[in-house]
Amino acid sequence: MSTPHAPPHQRDTGHPRMALLLLVLASVAFGGWGAWRSFGPQPANAGERLRDQGDRIEELEQQVATLTRSDQISRQANADLQGTLAERDEEIASLRADIAFYERFVGATAQRHGLSLHELVLEPQRDPQLWHFVATLTQNLNRGAVSTGKLQLSVEASEDGRMRKLAWSELRQQQNAPGVDYSFKYFQQVEGDIVLPPGVKPVRLIARLVPASGPPVEQSLTWGEATSPAGATVPATR
């Protein structure tokens, strides 16, 4: 005996209704959750916490700015201190050199030597032909005695491939120019100016000391030595 079948238009009619009901319930639930999130009560201290955090951020930013400025000040102070220390070291070195220089001539163990040129320094001026010289003269052979006389310079120079000697009068641009006077017991610095003719290349500088009594003393050095920060000398020749 066959089982009777329901008419075709009555099959599976329950499923669409169930799905629709579930969809409505889900929409209501989601809407309620959203409303609760939007209008539900907030923690009582949320605003206070936000203000505290904002104040803390501002405080930290101020600390960072203060530390940055302090670091800049410290760096500048350290740079200034290093510069001051370098100046003091240079000053100490200069004073020690002066002490060694004085002891060389007036100390109890100083070696005795006669009139000589200890140092000669040339400094260029604005005019390329003009040079200023500073000469340091020394003697301690006759302690207490005064050495007097005159200093003259001459220059050996190259001009058009040939060597020539420029005398003191030519360097001073004065006929029969007198030398630079000196008078001292142990040491003295004398200075003056010389003028080189255009087109010459100086090679060697010769210093001539003419004492009031006794033979003259000559010492020579290269132009490069004389134009360095501290000129060099060579043993005197008479």
Side-chain angles (χ1 to χ4, degrees), residues 113-126:
H113 62 84
L115 177 65
S116 66
L117 177 68
H118 174 72
E119 183 180 81
L120 179 61
V121 179
L122 281 173
E123 297 177 348
Q125 306 301 298
R126 290 186 177 181

Side-chain angles (χ1 to χ4, degrees), residues 63-111:
Q63 290 181 4
V64 170
T66 302
L67 291 174
T68 301
R69 179 57 180 164
S70 177
D71 180 66
Q72 293 174 349
I73 294 174
S74 298
R75 289 176 182 270
Q76 183 61 45
N78 183 63
D80 293 342
L81 177 60
Q82 293 299 324
T84 301
L85 291 176
E87 292 177 358
R88 294 296 176 267
D89 288 342
E90 185 176 353
E91 184 178 357
I92 291 172
S94 178
L95 291 174
R96 285 176 176 173
D98 289 343
I99 292 174
F101 175 80
Y102 298 146
E103 288 180 345
R104 175 181 176 184
F105 300 108
V106 301
T109 59
Q111 294 182 355

Side-chain angles (χ1 to χ4, degrees), residues 115 148 150 182 208-218 237-238:
L115 177 65
T148 60
K150 296 181 181 297
Y182 65 82
R208 181 179 175 86
L209 301 174
V210 184
S213 61
V217 176
E218 284 191 355
T237 58
R238 295 183 181 274

Side-chain angles (χ1 to χ4, degrees), residues 193-230:
D193 297 305
I194 60 174
V195 180
L196 298 177
V200 300
K201 182 179 180 181
V203 177
R204 181 169 293 276
L205 191 66
I206 301 170
R208 181 179 175 86
L209 301 174
V210 184
S213 61
V217 176
E218 284 191 355
Q219 291 174 259
S220 65
L221 63 163
T222 67
W223 186 265
E225 290 171 335
T227 54
S228 66

Side-chain angles (χ1 to χ4, degrees), residues 115-150:
L115 177 65
S116 66
L117 177 68
H118 174 72
E119 183 180 81
L120 179 61
V121 179
L122 281 173
E123 297 177 348
Q125 306 301 298
R126 290 186 177 181
D127 186 336
Q129 270 71 55
L130 181 63
W131 292 80
H132 184 77
F133 69 86
V134 178
T136 303
L137 312 180
T138 63
Q139 81 85 27
N140 65 352
L141 184 61
N142 298 319
R143 296 194 174 189
V146 177
S147 296
T148 60
K150 296 181 181 297

